[in-house]
Each structure stands twice: as C-alpha cells, then as structure tokens.
Amino acid sequence: MRLGNFRLVGVLLVLVNVNVVAEEFSYSSGPQKTVLIELYTSEGCNSCPPAEEYLNSLKQHEDLWRVYIPVAFHVNYWDYIGWVDPYADAAHGKRQSWYAQQRNLRTVYTPAFVVNGKAWRPGWINRQLPESNESAGELKVDITGQQLTARYQPLQPVAGKLTLNIAVLGMGLTSHIKAGENKGRTARHEFVVIGYKTLVANNGFWSTRLPALLNKEATQHALAVWVSQLNDPSPLQAVGGLLSPVSTK
C-alpha cells in the first residue's frame, strides 16, 4: 500500500466564496504517481447511473486520496433532451473534448472514464482500478483561508509551462430527476466537480484563490488538485482529500 502524506493544522476559517468551514490544510502526494480517475457523466444520460454508482463506491476504498483520486465532471451536452443537470458546466465538456482531440478518447460520450489521461472501462467481472508504478515527483498543496498555494517538484525536468488544475468536489449530493431519460430516479452523487479552475506557471509554483462554487448543496466538500502540461490535459501528479463540512452559519 502506498501512502501519501496528509496533515491538517491550524484554526477554523470560513471560506466565504465556497461556503466551506476550513482549517489550514496541507496535502502531499509523495513521489509515486497518484491515479486520477475522471468520470464524464450527466443526469440526463440513462446509461450513466451504473458508472456513477461505481465511482460512489470509491468513497469506501481504503486507498482513497492516498492512491486514487476520483472526480466526476458533469457535462451539459445532454441537457437538451429534457433534463438540465444542475451540476453540469460547459467547461467540463470542453475538457472531455480536449481528451478526444488528443486521441485519448475515441469520441465524446457518457459515461466515460479517463484514468491518468487514458480511456478506461470497468468490466463486469474485473473492476479492479488501474495502478501506477511510475515515479512522478511530489505535488504539495497548502490552503489558508481562501488562498491555495501549490508546488510541484518533478523527478525529471518538464519542458514548457505547467497547468495547475483545482477542483472543489461536492460530496453526498442528491437529485430527484423530474424529466428526461432518468425521469423519476433519485440520483446520489459523490466527488462531483462543483468548482473548477486552472492556472498556468513556468516554475512549478502557483498561488491563487479557491474556485467559487457553481452549486452549494453539498453536505461535505473535498479537493482534488493535479498538474498537467500546458498542451495536454493528462495529469502528471495529483493530490486530494476531504475538507470540513459545509458551514451552517
């Protein structure tokens, strides 16, 4: 079992723009490459629920956040068929299209799993997640209030500028779908990307505010952060973990 380093220090602060009660957080990936699991999904897609149930099950995985970091990007290109997904954003579909342009996906579809930048389909018999044996260098992330700083130290020099991807994840979300292909279904979601931003740097250091949320209904938040090259969405290294529960103040 590979363990990254994860510690929480400091006093409680209220993050106004994301409605999260947060301490000062520090996350560290360790040198071995973490596995970033992206699911492209939609509440308007009747073939997506099994994939989402699979992603939801990772909440109980013993290696969650240490080895595996799941994120669910809800796309809006199925909204026209009768149900507007409340967690969808056009930027999520653009990211998926970028993978298709890079030939990492054969086309744009849902549900679509992308694991460390490559298409992946869990089978009915073997649903074992891919593992990574690569050494990728260390990604460290610190949060103080609404401010996030990140440092990436690759084992080998990386040509060109690097992009930091920051995703605030909504946990424990529920939707009662009233139209479209999933009409009458109650959908339960984990790891939903409800705030997302990117930032480019050429020195492996970033400092920025956490992204604002598109949806504020989550009972708990988590954070996923990963580094990629400027012209390739595939992650070089990733880190993540839970944040404090939503503020009731």
Side-chain angles (χ1 to χ4, degrees), residues 2-7 26-35 65-69 134-141 151-154 225-227 236-240:
R2 173 164 53 84
L3 301 180
N5 300 317
F6 174 58
R7 60 186 175 87
S26 293
Y27 306 86
S28 177
S29 66
Q32 193 167 343
K33 188 169 184 175
T34 307
V35 179
W65 308 125
R66 298 174 295 185
V67 177
Y68 299 110
I69 299 178
E134 300 177 50
S135 295
E138 190 167 26
L139 175 61
K140 294 183 177 181
V141 174
R151 296 170 179 82
Y152 178 52
Q153 295 181 311
V225 181
W226 63 96
V227 177
L236 299 173
Q237 183 61 290
V239 73

Side-chain angles (χ1 to χ4, degrees), residues 125-137:
I125 298 176
N126 183 10
R127 313 194 88 188
Q128 181 66 36
L129 285 163
E131 296 183 358
S132 175
N133 296 316
E134 300 177 50
S135 295

Side-chain angles (χ1 to χ4, degrees), residues 28-220:
S28 177
S29 66
Q32 193 167 343
K33 188 169 184 175
T34 307
V35 179
L36 182 71
I37 305 159
E38 302 173 58
L39 172 63
Y40 293 88
T41 184
S42 170
E43 286 190 348
C45 159
N46 63 4
S47 58
C48 286
E52 292 201 8
E53 289 173 8
Y54 181 79
L55 196 77
N56 291 352
S57 72
L58 299 181
K59 192 175 182 180
Q60 310 303 323
H61 200 291
E62 63 180 355
D63 289 328
L64 176 64
W65 308 125
R66 298 174 295 185
V67 177
Y68 299 110
I69 299 178
V71 298
F73 283 103
H74 284 236
V75 298
N76 68 352
Y77 50 75
W78 296 125
D79 286 359
Y80 77 95
I81 61 177
W83 178 252
V84 176
D85 189 321
Y87 311 112
D89 188 84
H92 303 168
K94 289 180 180 178
R95 178 173 172 82
Q96 186 185 21
S97 294
W98 192 8
Y99 272 128
Q101 292 165 9
Q102 296 279 334
R103 299 180 184 274
N104 296 33
L105 287 173
R106 70 175 187 274
T107 187
V108 173
Y109 60 93
T110 57
F113 280 100
V114 179
V115 177
N116 274 354
K118 298 180 180 179
W120 177 73
R121 287 183 178 272
W124 291 109
I125 298 176
N126 183 10
R127 313 194 88 188
Q128 181 66 36
L129 285 163
E131 296 183 358
S132 175
N133 296 316
E134 300 177 50
S135 295
E138 190 167 26
L139 175 61
K140 294 183 177 181
V141 174
D142 296 301
I143 300 173
T144 302
Q146 299 179 52
Q147 194 69 21
L148 179 148
T149 58
R151 296 170 179 82
Y152 178 52
Q153 295 181 311
L155 294 179
Q156 301 294 332
V158 179
K161 295 182 178 181
L162 296 175
T163 300
L164 188 73
N165 300 261
I166 305 166
V168 176
L169 311 179
M171 309 293 288
L173 291 164
T174 301
S175 288
H176 303 290
I177 302 173
K178 300 177 182 179
E181 293 184 346
N182 289 316
K183 182 178 179 180
R185 184 182 185 89
T186 297
R188 293 179 172 82
H189 307 299
E190 304 288 350
F191 311 109
V192 178
V193 177
I194 54 176
Y196 178 64
K197 68 186 295 185
T198 61
L199 188 68
V200 176
N202 55 12
N203 59 359
F205 175 81
W206 300 263
S207 180
T208 187
R209 291 169 69 87
L210 289 170
L213 300 189
L214 299 172
N215 185 291
K216 299 183 179 181
E217 298 176 358
T219 59
Q220 188 176 43

Side-chain angles (χ1 to χ4, degrees), residues 218-233:
T219 59
Q220 188 176 43
H221 293 120
L223 186 73
V225 181
W226 63 96
V227 177
S228 56
Q229 293 183 281
L230 182 62
N231 297 316
D232 187 345

